[in-house]
Amino acid sequence: MVSQPYLKKGTWTINEDQKLIAYIMRYGIWNWNEMPRFAGLQRSGKSCMLRWMNYLRPNIRRGNFSREEEETIIHLQKELGNRWSAIATRLPHRTDNDIKNNWNTRLKKRVISENDKSVPASTTEIYSSVEENSPDADSSSLLNIPTTADFPEPSTCSQGST
DNA sequence: AAGCGGTGCAACCGCTTCTAT
DNA sequence: CATAGAAGCGGTTGCACCGCT
């Protein structure tokens, strides 16, 4: 495939986020592979999908997992294994990637060490006030989205939306 | 004050599954 | 029913930041 002469990688910029959000708000999601071109992004469809799913979607809550959330993750991980998307469905405002990261970086170690010591969880005091963030503070609300951006019409690509 | 090591987060890659033709 | 394309999932890697020596 040589549909893209150059595909940017690495950290997304605010400008790229704005373009993607504005495009999806205006035209919706119709084809991840084609959308980046119309949105004026030098990104792969996969990269756009990942960015949207994990950070730009509305009602996403990131960081500062509450004690309840972490215990839920631990419990579900025992039940379901590493089915992060399944676990994420039980935590509506969390993404599978965020849950996976939290597990890999924190919870796994904690569970292992607790199992090793075979003592009740002494983690309660670790959590202080971690309930500060709200779903309202999702990423998109922090961006100044140009909702009237003049994107080319996706219909020119013979897509079949509705 | 500088360097080193550890931790956590964001993103990419490859594989699998699902849907349409 | 088979094949191709798109989407989704999980594992892994790289980078940035923070704390310690």
Coordinates of all heavy atoms in Angstrom, one line a residue, chain A residues 9-10 12 46-47 51 62 101 105, chain B residues 7-15:
Chain A
K9 N 4.3 9.6 13.0 CA 4.2 8.7 14.1 C 4.5 9.5 15.4 O 4.9 10.7 15.3 CB 5.2 7.5 14.0 CG 4.8 6.5 13.0 CD 5.8 5.4 13.0 CE 5.5 4.4 11.9 NZ 6.4 3.2 12.0
G10 N 4.3 8.9 16.5 CA 4.7 9.6 17.8 C 3.6 10.3 18.4 O 2.4 10.2 18.0
W12 N 0.8 12.8 19.6 CA -0.1 13.6 18.9 C 0.0 15.1 19.4 O 0.1 15.3 20.6 CB -1.6 13.1 19.1 CG -1.9 12.0 18.2 CD1 -1.3 10.8 18.2 CD2 -2.9 12.0 17.2 NE1 -1.9 10.0 17.2 CE2 -2.9 10.7 16.6 CE3 -3.8 13.0 16.7 CZ2 -3.7 10.4 15.5 CZ3 -4.6 12.6 15.7 CH2 -4.6 11.3 15.1
K46 N -5.3 3.6 11.8 CA -5.1 2.9 13.1 C -4.7 3.9 14.2 O -5.2 3.8 15.3 CB -4.0 1.8 13.0 CG -4.6 0.4 13.2 CD -3.4 -0.6 13.1 CE -3.8 -1.8 13.7 NZ -2.8 -2.9 13.6
S47 N -3.8 4.7 13.9 CA -3.3 5.7 14.8 C -4.5 6.6 15.3 O -4.7 6.9 16.4 CB -2.2 6.5 14.3 OG -1.7 7.4 15.2
R51 N -6.2 6.9 18.9 CA -6.2 8.2 19.6 C -7.6 8.6 20.0 O -7.9 9.1 21.1 CB -5.6 9.3 18.7 CG -5.5 10.7 19.3 CD -4.5 10.7 20.5 NE -4.4 12.0 21.1 CZ -3.7 12.3 22.2 NH1 -3.0 11.3 22.8 NH2 -3.7 13.5 22.7
R62 N -9.5 9.7 32.7 CA -8.1 9.2 32.7 C -7.4 9.5 34.0 O -7.6 10.5 34.7 CB -7.3 9.7 31.5 CG -8.0 9.3 30.2 CD -7.0 9.4 29.1 NE -6.6 10.8 28.8 CZ -5.4 11.2 28.8 NH1 -4.4 10.4 29.1 NH2 -5.1 12.5 28.6
N101 N -2.7 -0.3 31.1 CA -1.5 0.4 31.7 C -1.5 0.4 33.2 O -0.4 0.1 33.8 CB -1.4 1.8 31.2 CG -0.8 2.0 29.8 OD1 0.0 1.1 29.4 ND2 -1.2 3.0 29.1
T105 N 1.5 -1.5 35.3 CA 2.4 -0.6 36.0 C 2.2 -0.7 37.5 O 3.2 -0.4 38.3 CB 2.4 0.8 35.5 OG1 1.0 1.3 35.7 CG2 2.8 0.9 34.1
Chain B
dT7 P 10.7 0.7 39.9 OP1 10.1 0.3 41.2 OP2 10.9 -0.2 38.9 O5' 9.8 1.9 39.3 C5' 9.6 3.1 40.0 C4' 8.5 4.0 39.4 O4' 9.0 4.7 38.3 C3' 7.3 3.2 38.9 O3' 6.1 3.8 39.3 C2' 7.4 3.1 37.4 C1' 8.2 4.4 37.1 N1 9.1 4.3 36.0 C2 9.1 5.4 35.1 O2 8.4 6.4 35.2 N3 10.0 5.3 34.0 C4 10.8 4.2 33.8 O4 11.6 4.3 32.8 C5 10.8 3.2 34.7 C7 11.7 2.0 34.5 C6 9.9 3.3 35.8
dG8 P 4.7 3.3 39.0 OP1 3.8 3.6 40.2 OP2 4.8 1.9 38.5 O5' 4.2 4.2 37.8 C5' 4.4 5.6 37.9 C4' 3.8 6.3 36.6 O4' 4.9 6.2 35.6 C3' 2.6 5.6 36.1 O3' 1.7 6.7 35.7 C2' 3.1 4.8 34.9 C1' 4.3 5.6 34.4 N9 5.4 4.8 33.8 C8 5.9 3.6 34.2 N7 6.8 3.2 33.4 C5 7.0 4.2 32.5 C6 7.9 4.3 31.4 O6 8.7 3.5 31.0 N1 7.7 5.5 30.7 C2 6.8 6.4 31.0 N2 6.8 7.5 30.2 N3 5.9 6.4 32.0 C4 6.1 5.2 32.7
dC9 P 0.3 6.4 35.0 OP1 -0.7 7.3 35.6 OP2 0.1 4.9 34.9 O5' 0.6 6.9 33.5 C5' 1.2 8.2 33.4 C4' 1.4 8.5 31.9 O4' 2.5 7.7 31.4 C3' 0.2 8.2 31.0 O3' 0.0 9.3 30.1 C2' 0.5 6.9 30.3 C1' 2.1 7.0 30.2 N1 2.8 5.7 30.3 C2 3.7 5.4 29.3 O2 4.0 6.3 28.4 N3 4.4 4.3 29.3 C4 4.2 3.4 30.3 N4 4.8 2.2 30.3 C5 3.1 3.6 31.3 C6 2.5 4.8 31.2
dA10 P -1.2 9.4 29.2 OP1 -1.7 10.8 29.3 OP2 -2.2 8.3 29.5 O5' -0.6 9.2 27.8 C5' 0.5 10.0 27.4 C4' 1.1 9.5 26.1 O4' 1.7 8.2 26.2 C3' 0.0 9.2 25.0 O3' 0.4 9.8 23.8 C2' -0.1 7.7 24.9 C1' 1.3 7.2 25.3 N9 1.3 5.9 26.0 C8 0.5 5.5 27.0 N7 0.8 4.3 27.4 C5 1.9 3.9 26.6 C6 2.7 2.8 26.6 N6 2.6 1.7 27.4 N1 3.8 2.8 25.7 C2 4.0 3.8 24.9 N3 3.3 5.0 24.9 C4 2.2 4.9 25.8
dA11 P -0.4 9.8 22.5 OP1 -0.2 11.1 21.8 OP2 -1.8 9.4 22.8 O5' 0.2 8.6 21.7 C5' 1.6 8.7 21.4 C4' 2.1 7.4 20.8 O4' 2.0 6.3 21.8 C3' 1.2 6.9 19.6 O3' 2.0 6.8 18.4 C2' 0.7 5.5 20.0 C1' 1.7 5.1 21.1 N9 1.1 4.2 22.2 C8 0.0 4.5 22.9 N7 -0.3 3.5 23.8 C5 0.7 2.6 23.5 C6 1.0 1.3 24.1 N6 0.3 0.8 25.1 N1 2.1 0.6 23.7 C2 2.8 1.2 22.7 N3 2.7 2.4 22.1 C4 1.6 3.0 22.6
dC12 P 1.5 6.3 17.1 OP1 2.1 7.1 16.0 OP2 0.0 6.1 17.1 O5' 2.2 4.8 17.0 C5' 3.6 4.7 17.3 C4' 4.0 3.3 17.1 O4' 3.6 2.5 18.2 C3' 3.5 2.7 15.8 O3' 4.6 1.9 15.2 C2' 2.4 1.8 16.3 C1' 2.8 1.4 17.7 N1 1.7 1.2 18.7 C2 1.7 0.0 19.5 O2 2.6 -0.8 19.3 N3 0.7 -0.2 20.4 C4 -0.3 0.8 20.5 N4 -1.2 0.6 21.4 C5 -0.3 2.0 19.7 C6 0.7 2.1 18.8
dC13 P 4.4 1.1 13.9 OP1 5.6 1.2 13.1 OP2 3.1 1.5 13.2 O5' 4.2 -0.4 14.4 C5' 5.2 -0.9 15.3 C4' 4.9 -2.4 15.5 O4' 3.9 -2.6 16.5 C3' 4.5 -3.1 14.2 O3' 5.2 -4.3 14.1 C2' 3.0 -3.3 14.4 C1' 2.8 -3.3 16.0 N1 1.6 -2.7 16.5 C2 0.9 -3.4 17.5 O2 1.3 -4.5 17.9 N3 -0.3 -2.9 18.0 C4 -0.7 -1.7 17.5 N4 -1.8 -1.2 18.0 C5 0.0 -1.0 16.5 C6 1.1 -1.6 16.0
dG14 P 4.9 -5.2 12.7 OP1 6.3 -5.7 12.3 OP2 4.1 -4.4 11.8 O5' 4.1 -6.4 13.3 C5' 4.5 -7.0 14.5 C4' 3.4 -8.0 14.9 O4' 2.3 -7.4 15.5 C3' 2.8 -8.9 13.8 O3' 2.8 -10.2 14.2 C2' 1.5 -8.2 13.5 C1' 1.1 -7.7 14.9 N9 0.2 -6.5 14.9 C8 0.3 -5.4 14.1 N7 -0.6 -4.5 14.4 C5 -1.3 -5.1 15.4 C6 -2.5 -4.6 16.1 O6 -3.1 -3.5 16.0 N1 -2.9 -5.5 17.1 C2 -2.3 -6.7 17.4 N2 -2.9 -7.4 18.4 N3 -1.3 -7.2 16.7 C4 -0.8 -6.3 15.8
dC15 P 2.0 -11.3 13.3 OP1 2.8 -12.6 13.4 OP2 1.7 -10.7 11.9 O5' 0.7 -11.5 14.1 C5' 0.8 -11.6 15.5 C4' -0.6 -12.0 16.1 O4' -1.4 -10.8 16.2 C3' -1.4 -13.0 15.2 O3' -2.1 -13.9 16.0 C2' -2.4 -12.1 14.4 C1' -2.6 -10.9 15.4 N1 -2.8 -9.6 14.7 C2 -3.9 -8.8 15.2 O2 -4.6 -9.2 16.1 N3 -4.2 -7.6 14.6 C4 -3.4 -7.2 13.6 N4 -3.6 -6.0 13.0 C5 -2.3 -8.0 13.1 C6 -2.0 -9.2 13.7

